Amino acid sequence: MEKFKEKSVLIISLALTLIFILWGIFFTDNLAKVTNIIYTGSIDYLGWVYIGTTFFFVIFSIYLLFSKYGHIRLGKPTDKPDFNTASWLAMLFGAGMGIGIVYWGVAEPVTHYTKPPYGEGYTIDAANTAMTYTFFHWGLHPWAIYTVIGLALAFFQYNKRLPASISSVFYPILKDRINGPIGKTIDILSVFATVFGIATSLGLGALQVTAGMHTIFNAPDTLMVQIIVIIVATVIFLISVNTGLERGIQYLSNSAMIISFAILLLILILGPTLTIVKVFFNTTGLYLNNFIQMSLRLRPFGEGEWIAAWTLFYWAWWIAWAPFVGMFIARISRGRTVKEFVIGVLIVPTIGTCLWMSIFGGAALDLVVHNNNHDLATYISENVSLAIFTFFDQLPLSTFLGILGFALVAIYYITVADTATFVLGMLSEGGTLNPSNKIKMTWGVIQSAVAAVLLISGGLEVLQTASIAAALPFAFIMLVMSYSLLKGFNGELEIQRRKKRVKET
Amino acid sequence: MKLFQVRKGQFVYYKNELHRVYTVKPVYKKSVHLVRLRDLTQHLCSAAEVDRYQPKEGDSFIFNHNVFTLNKDRKAQEGDYILITNPDPDYLDHYSLNEIEVVDTVENKGVITNNSNGIRHHEYLLMVPGRTENSNPIEFRDVNHSEENNVNESVPSFDIFLPSIGDVYKKKDEASSFESMVVAIKGNIIFLGGGLEIIEEELLDSTKWEFLYNILDQ
């Protein structure tokens, strides 16, 4: 019984995920049906929850930037940052980049161009709206979510010396009950959300790796091949865990950053450079101008399908990803002040992702708008997984770019799978920094199985709906987290004041 | 022909003393950047000037003016120093070969250091304060094997580790916090600020006193 208490988070979250996998394998149609019901329900009843909470995180992050808590240092007052500012910012940007940014960089703007959230498709206005919404989905909102969770995890880990688990963040509210059933429930929900956030990424990755193999090696682009990709990646990961090749994964993730920047520069040079620069400035203006309206946009008197398929999916995906990215951001940010942290995590990566989207989206839209190439736009929006390779085909050095793109997606896939198992191991073992290999391997197999089940049940659409459902409880957890963080900060200021008084006397 | 395979983290002998390579900058003339373990001072040299040494259990050396012996059998406790001889960093860890870190908390599977690194028990050797019997002192290279470098004349004596004016020491006492500076030396009697007189051996006993810094280095 004592052992079960100790390992309850691990056992219960594993059991829940296994039930889901078995459900997907033996009752595939039923799973697709249920996710569809959840999808419809999320549009009608829960859309406002995601819209409201995510907008609140943006406001809350900006408030923290200018608040009286700005000078609080994450760690001891004498702690110096572990990394210099340049590498810290590069790592932050790297945390937010990944399979998603490669997958959607071309596909999203072009799809919005063909089916905009409002107005006529295939027009100049639609192109501007497409870029604005792409900025919106990849801009301040995701980074505000990461700011809140990263800051909370770092503060309670370094200043309050609590374990690196999500329940630690609730110490000011729950006190020692973070070790009881409530704390365990929070950890279970965070593990569950993380599994689905990662499975969504792995699913997208498998779709794109298969598409890349189809383009480069003429391999068939079928569900069977996608599942084989997942199995091969899982085997590679299991070998790396067992043979001490883990260090190789770190080299891989560094090389992914280098390849990303190389592709970015190549497209900037080979593509329509002037248009890209204009797109960046113009879209930044439109984004800032329409920010509040877009942030709170719901369609009370019309169909909300576009919002559910795009905005709600993204907000849910970011929230599901939050524990994973938050852990990483907290780890590299010790010694920074709250003000530095918010500027570094909210502002700089937002500019980075908007630049990325301007280069990919701007160049892709230039191809379809300037040449009136409606067929190409339709083809890209209907074959989203192939989007980036279709786009490369239109540029000089297309084969080279295709191979680079394929290598990038493959590397991101392996690194995400590997690093996710470490974070899941940590979360499910009470915040330990030494998760055992057995547990890491278990999570490795489980997350691959979830990704495979979601792909079998209906591909991209099911990936999107599953993450919307799994992230919902965690959205509420993150709201309470904001309040807990404020309480923690106030306590810290009180301690500082008392120390000052003691010194003066 | 000597192959220069110098890597970050390696322990090397340079001018007959033990150093740790903290970085290698290939484009520099003096490409190997070292930190001398006994006093943590920085030294630059080329790869040809260093000889590698792999620390092992039972070795003893001076780190930051204090003597330690490497031990594998004793369990690490909070506040202990560890030498990471077999690094296998996880995704969120940030450490490399032969990093010296302080234990913050001890878990079943490993320890958490004060740099928030999770290190498993098989990755490190514990640095036990003091020089145990039968330990193998490694702060200097074995002179008998160093004819090719003619370092006989450059072997420093242990005098360099004697307290000098301006050294600040901290008494290892749970009950009170006492820091004091060496203000005078008469034979082997050391006069500390605060009117304390102790013999040299006692001050150099790392279980009783800890060297902090010398004010002239500040």
Side-chain angles (χ1 to χ4, degrees):
Chain A
M1 192 66 207
E2 202 55 43
K3 206 162 186 185
F4 174 78
K5 258 187 186 170
E6 213 176 280
K7 292 192 178 285
S8 56
V9 174
L10 177 69
I11 294 165
I12 295 169
S13 47
L14 271 178
L16 282 173
T17 321
L18 275 172
I19 289 167
F20 178 85
I21 291 167
L22 294 173
W23 182 22
I25 290 171
F26 296 110
F27 306 98
T28 314
D29 293 344
N30 182 266
L31 175 68
K33 206 165 131 190
V34 171
T35 48
N36 204 35
I37 291 166
I38 292 167
Y39 178 68
T40 319
S42 68
I43 299 168
D44 295 340
Y45 301 108
L46 304 173
W48 63 270
V49 174
Y50 280 121
I51 296 284
T53 48
T54 313
F55 184 59
F56 166 77
F57 294 140
V58 177
I59 303 294
F60 183 63
S61 304
I62 293 168
Y63 160 73
L64 287 177
L65 180 61
F66 298 105
S67 69
K68 59 185 176 184
Y69 314 116
H71 70 277
I72 293 175
R73 194 171 289 283
L74 299 169
K76 294 189 206 84
T78 51
D79 272 354
K80 290 200 168 66
D82 291 341
F83 303 93
N84 67 45
T85 304
S87 11
W88 181 58
L89 293 175
M91 286 161 122
L92 286 173
F93 186 55
M97 294 205 341
I99 291 168
I101 212 165
V102 183
Y103 190 94
W104 293 112
V106 168
E108 184 172 354
V110 175
T111 310
H112 292 342
Y113 171 69
T114 59
K115 290 194 202 85
Y118 46 79
E120 197 81 24
Y122 300 100
T123 59
I124 303 288
D125 280 347
N128 283 325
T129 307
M131 280 313 300
T132 311
Y133 266 90
T134 307
F135 269 35
F136 169 61
H137 290 147
W138 293 87
L140 287 169
H141 289 74
W143 290 104
I145 292 168
Y146 300 150
T147 300
V148 172
I149 194 164
L151 195 55
L153 282 166
F155 177 75
F156 288 99
Q157 210 175 313
Y158 302 135
N159 296 49
K160 302 294 169 196
R161 302 177 64 77
L162 289 162
S165 62
I166 303 293
S167 53
S168 298
V169 171
F170 294 87
Y171 187 78
I173 300 169
L174 299 172
K175 294 284 182 268
D176 286 339
R177 278 174 302 170
I178 58 168
N179 302 315
I182 304 174
K184 302 274 188 228
T185 307
I186 289 167
D187 284 337
I188 289 164
L189 288 172
S190 65
V191 171
F192 201 64
T194 308
V195 167
F196 279 87
I198 288 159
T200 304
S201 282
L202 295 184
L204 292 178
L207 288 172
Q208 215 172 15
V209 168
T210 312
M213 293 198 312
H214 175 69
T215 311
I216 299 166
F217 313 112
N218 259 334
D221 191 2
T222 60
L223 178 66
M224 196 61 211
V225 178
Q226 289 159 13
I227 303 299
I228 291 169
V229 165
I230 291 178
I231 292 168
V232 169
T234 311
V235 170
I236 292 173
F237 151 76
L238 291 178
I239 292 168
S240 83
V241 168
N242 278 312
T243 52
L245 286 174
E246 286 277 277
R247 263 168 285 178
I249 298 284
Q250 294 203 342
Y251 291 119
L252 272 183
S253 67
N254 290 342
S255 64
M257 280 290 284
I258 294 162
I259 295 173
S260 301
F261 283 115
I263 292 178
L264 210 61
L265 278 176
L266 275 173
I267 293 172
L268 189 62
I269 295 160
L270 299 171
T273 313
L274 186 63
T275 307
I276 288 169
V277 174
K278 283 180 181 172
V279 162
F280 178 71
F281 280 96
N282 181 56
T283 313
T284 303
L286 286 169
Y287 173 51
L288 294 173
N289 199 33
N290 299 316
F291 183 77
I292 291 179
Q293 191 266 327
M294 286 192 297
S295 299
L296 299 172
R297 182 172 176 265
L298 282 165
R299 302 209 49 206
F301 308 112
E303 291 295 313
E305 272 182 27
W306 191 96
I307 293 168
W310 290 101
T311 308
L312 295 189
F313 158 62
Y314 274 129
W315 287 184
W317 192 20
W318 303 144
I319 288 170
W321 260 101
F324 174 72
V325 181
M327 284 277 180
F328 175 73
I329 291 174
R331 176 68 186 84
I332 61 173
S333 303
R334 196 175 56 174
R336 301 272 165 194
T337 62
V338 169
K339 190 174 270 186
E340 276 177 337
F341 183 94
V342 177
I343 292 171
V345 180
L346 182 71
I347 312 292
V348 177
T350 296
I351 295 168
T353 38
C354 288
L355 265 172
W356 175 282
M357 289 299 177
S358 298
I359 291 170
F360 275 78
L365 284 175
D366 183 74
L367 280 173
V368 294
V369 176
H370 277 177
N371 309 328
N372 257 337
N373 202 337
H374 289 187
D375 291 345
L376 179 66
T378 310
Y379 181 77
I380 287 176
S381 66
E382 284 171 0
N383 299 278
V384 175
S385 306
L386 282 165
I388 199 156
F389 299 106
T390 311
F391 165 66
F392 286 157
D393 277 345
Q394 311 295 320
L395 296 172
L397 299 176
S398 58
T399 312
F400 178 65
L401 279 170
I403 291 167
L404 273 187
F406 175 72
L408 182 64
V409 176
I411 290 171
Y412 270 138
Y413 189 100
I414 296 282
T415 52
V416 165
D418 179 78
T419 50
T421 52
F422 177 78
V423 172
L424 284 169
M426 264 175 83
L427 289 172
S428 57
E429 285 203 286
T432 177
L433 286 168
N434 288 309
S436 68
N437 278 357
K438 236 190 287 176
I439 284 168
K440 277 162 66 178
M441 282 158 58
T442 309
W443 281 120
V445 173
I446 292 263
Q447 71 191 14
S448 298
V450 173
V453 161
L454 291 173
L455 285 181
I456 292 165
S457 306
L460 182 63
E461 208 169 279
V462 176
L463 286 177
Q464 292 175 325
T465 50
S467 52
I468 287 178
L472 191 74
F474 201 71
F476 290 109
I477 285 176
M478 278 194 64
L479 273 180
V480 184
M481 190 184 286
S482 312
Y483 170 68
S484 185
L485 182 62
L486 277 187
K487 259 190 116 161
F489 279 161
N490 283 322
E492 185 78 1
L493 285 184
E494 189 52 42
I495 291 166
Q496 285 181 4
R497 266 187 231 118
R498 249 184 268 154
K499 273 185 184 163
K500 218 173 170 179
R501 259 183 251 135
V502 169
K503 264 186 184 168
E504 282 165 0
T505 50
Chain B
M1 194 182 90
K2 189 175 177 180
L3 285 174
F4 303 134
Q5 291 283 3
V6 183
R7 295 275 179 276
K8 179 185 173 170
Q10 286 174 345
F11 273 18
V12 294
Y13 284 113
Y14 168 62
K15 288 188 178 170
N16 201 42
E17 278 199 76
L18 192 66
H19 293 67
R20 178 178 180 268
V21 179
Y22 70 84
T23 189
V24 178
K25 304 262 190 200
V27 291
Y28 285 44
K29 206 169 180 179
K30 291 194 176 267
S31 57
V32 183
H33 294 201
L34 309 165
V35 62
R36 187 160 64 195
L37 288 174
R38 78 172 156 87
D39 56 4
L40 305 188
T41 51
Q42 182 198 39
H43 302 270
L44 310 185
C45 66
S46 61
E49 296 172 272
V50 298
D51 282 317
R52 190 179 167 197
Y53 180 79
Q54 255 180 305
K56 55 191 184 297
E57 194 193 7
D59 286 348
S60 64
F61 61 93
I62 294 163
F63 170 67
N64 195 16
H65 301 270
N66 293 301
V67 181
F68 292 94
T69 303
L70 296 176
N71 184 305
K72 206 160 55 176
D73 307 322
R74 231 185 70 178
K75 225 177 160 235
Q77 289 173 334
E78 197 179 319
D80 282 347
Y81 283 91
I82 55 169
L83 176 72
I84 302 165
T85 48
N86 181 25
D88 185 8
D90 268 316
Y91 166 60
L92 292 181
D93 290 332
H94 185 72
Y95 59 88
S96 56
L97 177 69
N98 290 337
E99 208 95 56
I100 292 172
E101 301 215 349
V102 180
V103 175
D104 190 39
T105 45
V106 183
E107 296 180 340
N108 282 342
K109 292 188 210 78
V111 297
I112 311 290
T113 67
N114 59 355
N115 283 340
S116 302
N117 286 317
I119 297 164
R120 290 179 190 82
H121 292 308
H122 69 267
E123 291 181 65
Y124 66 83
L125 290 171
L126 188 66
M127 290 166 60
V128 180
R131 213 185 285 276
T132 57
E133 254 180 272
N134 310 324
S135 72
N136 170 35
I138 59 167
E139 54 267 28
F140 302 119
R141 185 173 41 193
D142 187 349
V143 181
N144 302 332
H145 294 105
S146 57
E147 290 89 5
E148 76 272 16
N149 290 319
N150 265 333
V151 292
N152 291 358
E153 70 281 357
S154 64
V155 177
S157 71
F158 272 90
D159 290 353
I160 49 172
F161 306 126
L162 294 180
S164 55
I165 306 286
D167 283 355
V168 178
Y169 282 85
K170 185 181 180 188
K171 194 169 175 42
K172 286 193 171 175
D173 186 356
E174 295 286 320
S176 65
S177 168
F178 181 72
E179 288 177 24
S180 184
M181 189 178 79
V182 176
V183 291
I185 300 169
K186 190 178 174 185
N188 75 334
I189 296 176
I190 312 291
F191 295 84
L192 294 170
L196 206 66
E197 292 176 32
I198 56 172
I199 55 167
E200 187 185 291
E201 287 76 17
E202 191 182 342
L203 189 64
L204 290 176
D205 185 343
S206 55
T207 57
K208 292 178 183 170
W209 289 90
E210 180 191 357
F211 172 84
L212 295 178
Y213 56 87
N214 185 297
I215 54 158
L216 303 174
D217 297 338
Q218 297 297 299

